[in-house]
Amino acid sequence: MHVRAALVVNLERRIGQTVTRFPFADRPRLWGTAVSHYQVEGDDLCDWSDWERAGRTRGEPCGGAVGSWRHYETDAELAAAAGANAFRFSVSWSRVEPSPGHYDDHAIARYVRLIEKLNTLDLEPIVTLFHYTHPQWFHATTPWTSTASVERFGAFGKQIAEAFGDRVRLYVPLNEPLVFALAGYYDAQIPPGLSDGRAMARVVDHLLAAHCAAAAAIREVNPQAAIGVAHNMMAFAAERRWNPLDRAIASIAHRCYNRGLIEAFGSGRWDFLLPPRTRVRGRRDDLPASIDVFGVNFYSRLHLRCPGRERLIGDFAYRDTTGFGFTDNGWEIVPNALDELLIEATRANRPLMIMENGLADAGDRFRSAFIEAHLDSMERAAERGITVHGYLHWSLLDNYEWLDGFGPKFGLYEVDRATLERRPRASVETFRSAGARFLALKGGGAG
Ligand code: BGC
């Protein structure tokens, strides 16, 4: 038996389930970039623009962002020029459904034009339906704490799938549902700005139900379409390795933040404790079959210390323990942590992709080494029998970084916000050559 196949069999035994095949026989690996609507398009009136107006963000408001609503064709060309074969973007729910149940044909047509452009450039479109922002009416009309949110999101998914037709083969209904539920309903950092454990647990239920509703609607309209989810994973370490309490808090953080949703998608059940005493528990039997691909968004590692003043996970710090250094916003660069997280992600029992990975690095000092070292990690994972079918770099362009405004520069392309000119950073070349190496990797077929 082929060595790799034997490793996969071992892995399957270990996780006790069968790893399914990646949906695209004609394109077993995807290499590309990711953006989200609000962060690049500009002039999108939604709950987040209200949040900015209420003074709840630190950086300058998003305003015209980097003009991608108009310059989408250029952006698609830049991604193709960087050697990508895939392009992940999100649809602005607020543009598409400006009032409940009323869809804006012009906005939808603009997304169709983007997709046609991607198709022409042979870039696989990967469409996210929810990347943090909502229509302005949403929280007052069908909030995530209500079951009405589920139907509302399912209908939005159906509308999009009907408009996009067979031009799109991979949808990601939700970006980072747990991050959104935590930051929006537990930590009051992003809209709707609540701090209520019970509400948060209910929201997780409804988000997962909404994911299933959208997945079912998309598949009904477009039976060829594959569905994924983008789950943010962090590495967690004990700040003082000798301290059992630090080790315990790191393991609790891993259990709830990383594993909670992976188990939910793998088994249809979730049950984790959010410190200090919120139990997030539920069951959805249709959840495992609702995805064809499990997406990991990976950025950094937190070193945790107990007891903490921080309510959620104790005190945390970023430390440079591997010598790679820190990003501009102080995050540890830790590519070596990716292999273990990928192993953890196999519990979702689906083919894996990296749906986001990147860094804030205005001077482009670390980006090339960052990309190569993460690819090394994926290769190490492959030696252990884990195929990563896609890698999407965050991000194509410098963009709006939520609470931090335009400070952090995540782009392969630098953007001059006054002229909207896009200029390649030197690491675009590394991205291209790393892509060629990734696409040539053997063993793209199985899990
Ligand atoms: C989010 C992006 C964000 C990135 C960097 C990800 O978790 O999906 O929207 O820009 O992190 O902070």
Side-chain angles (χ1 to χ4, degrees):
M1 192 192 284
H2 194 277
V3 178
R4 207 186 138 271
L7 286 169
V8 171
V9 170
N10 279 339
L11 183 72
E12 287 178 351
R13 268 196 212 117
R14 191 150 71 76
I15 62 180
Q17 287 164 321
T18 315
V19 178
T20 51
R21 296 186 85 77
F22 191 63
F24 307 140
D26 59 329
R27 196 166 248 175
R29 287 183 198 273
L30 302 171
W31 180 264
T33 58
V35 293
S36 90
H37 64 281
Y38 193 76
Q39 295 178 268
V40 295
E41 287 178 356
D43 304 316
D44 183 359
L45 289 179
C46 61
D47 62 341
W48 195 282
S49 55
D50 292 346
W51 196 244
E52 290 169 344
R53 236 188 331 272
R56 302 295 297 269
T57 56
R58 292 184 287 269
E60 67 181 293
C62 184
V66 290
S68 295
W69 184 247
R70 278 183 295 123
H71 297 287
Y72 61 97
E73 294 199 317
T74 309
D75 293 352
E77 283 160 10
L78 294 176
N85 71 1
F87 187 102
R88 177 177 171 222
F89 69 96
S90 60
V91 169
S92 162
W93 191 358
S94 37
R95 286 190 201 276
V96 167
E97 194 176 352
S99 57
H102 294 103
Y103 299 97
D104 181 331
D105 292 340
H106 293 290
I108 294 177
R110 148 62 180 76
Y111 286 115
V112 170
R113 288 197 299 279
L114 166 60
I115 291 163
E116 284 172 347
K117 177 76 181 174
L118 298 174
N119 290 161
T120 310
L121 292 167
D122 204 22
L123 291 167
E124 189 74 46
I126 302 173
V127 176
T128 303
L129 296 181
F130 171 76
H131 200 124
Y132 296 167
T133 75
H134 305 78
Q136 286 170 311
W137 49 263
F138 180 83
H139 301 297
T141 315
T142 54
W144 286 116
T145 43
S146 75
T147 49
S149 58
V150 175
E151 205 182 313
R152 185 51 79 202
F153 188 69
F156 167 57
K158 180 162 191 270
Q159 194 73 23
I160 291 293
E162 279 171 351
F164 292 179
D166 59 9
R167 304 175 190 95
V168 173
R169 302 194 295 175
L170 178 53
Y171 285 92
V172 179
L174 301 179
N175 181 65
E176 301 185 348
L178 189 58
V179 173
F180 165 67
L182 285 170
Y185 290 85
Y186 197 66
D187 226 18
Q189 290 204 37
I190 68 173
L194 299 184
S195 183
D196 175 346
R198 289 174 68 159
M200 186 265 171
R202 205 157 58 242
V203 166
V204 169
D205 252 344
H206 294 156
L207 283 168
L208 296 178
H211 158 91
C212 288
I218 292 165
R219 284 174 172 160
E220 196 184 316
V221 174
N222 178 359
Q224 305 307 322
I227 307 292
V229 63
H231 174 47
N232 185 285
M233 293 185 78
M234 293 283 297
F236 295 103
E239 167 86 324
R240 299 160 297 183
R241 271 187 227 163
W242 49 266
N243 185 311
L245 290 176
D246 288 9
R247 288 208 302 273
I249 194 89
S251 131
I252 291 170
H254 175 68
R255 171 82 191 76
C256 83
Y257 189 86
N258 290 328
R259 190 174 289 178
L261 271 206
I262 294 174
E263 280 184 351
F265 279 94
S267 68
R269 290 159 197 254
W270 59 97
D271 187 0
F272 53 89
L273 200 62
L274 211 56
R277 57 179 156 276
T278 297
R279 189 158 186 193
V280 184
R281 181 158 62 145
R283 175 176 175 175
R284 282 206 69 85
D285 292 337
D286 53 348
L287 195 57
S290 74
I291 55 166
D292 305 286
V293 176
F294 190 82
V296 172
N297 293 357
F298 171 63
Y299 288 88
S300 188
R301 167 159 69 190
L302 295 182
H303 296 260
L304 303 179
R305 168 187 278 261
C306 187
R309 287 180 305 267
E310 291 280 336
R311 188 166 64 122
L312 262 177
I313 46 174
D315 283 354
F316 67 87
Y318 293 99
R319 305 259 175 245
D320 179 13
T321 54
T322 53
F324 272 100
F326 294 107
T327 67
D328 289 349
N329 49 353
W331 297 355
E332 179 186 9
I333 299 177
V334 59
N336 301 351
L338 179 60
D339 330 12
E340 287 303 319
L341 293 178
L342 287 171
I343 291 177
E344 183 67 36
T346 60
R347 289 167 178 262
N349 188 31
R350 283 293 178 273
L352 299 177
M353 273 185 68
I354 307 288
M355 295 237 185
E356 285 179 29
N357 173 242
L359 75 168
D361 180 17
D364 210 31
R365 291 179 304 149
F366 300 121
R367 195 170 278 103
S368 288
F370 180 100
I371 292 169
E372 280 173 342
H374 282 83
L375 181 49
D376 292 343
S377 267
M378 292 189 276
E379 286 188 347
R380 277 198 305 276
E383 281 159 19
R384 296 164 82 173
I386 296 162
T387 302
V388 178
H389 289 271
Y391 174 92
L392 306 177
H393 192 76
W394 187 274
S395 184
L396 176 68
L397 304 168
D398 287 346
N399 59 33
Y400 172 79
E401 180 55 23
W402 303 114
L403 297 171
D404 294 325
F406 291 94
K409 309 287 189 208
F410 277 87
L412 287 167
Y413 290 86
E414 182 181 359
V415 180
D416 178 333
R417 286 202 59 234
T419 61
L420 299 183
E421 191 196 339
R422 282 101 161 105
R423 281 187 296 265
R425 291 197 162 94
S427 49
V428 168
E429 282 313 312
T430 312
F431 178 77
R432 185 207 317 284
S433 54
R437 189 174 132 207
F438 180 77
L439 294 174
L441 286 177
K442 294 211 174 58

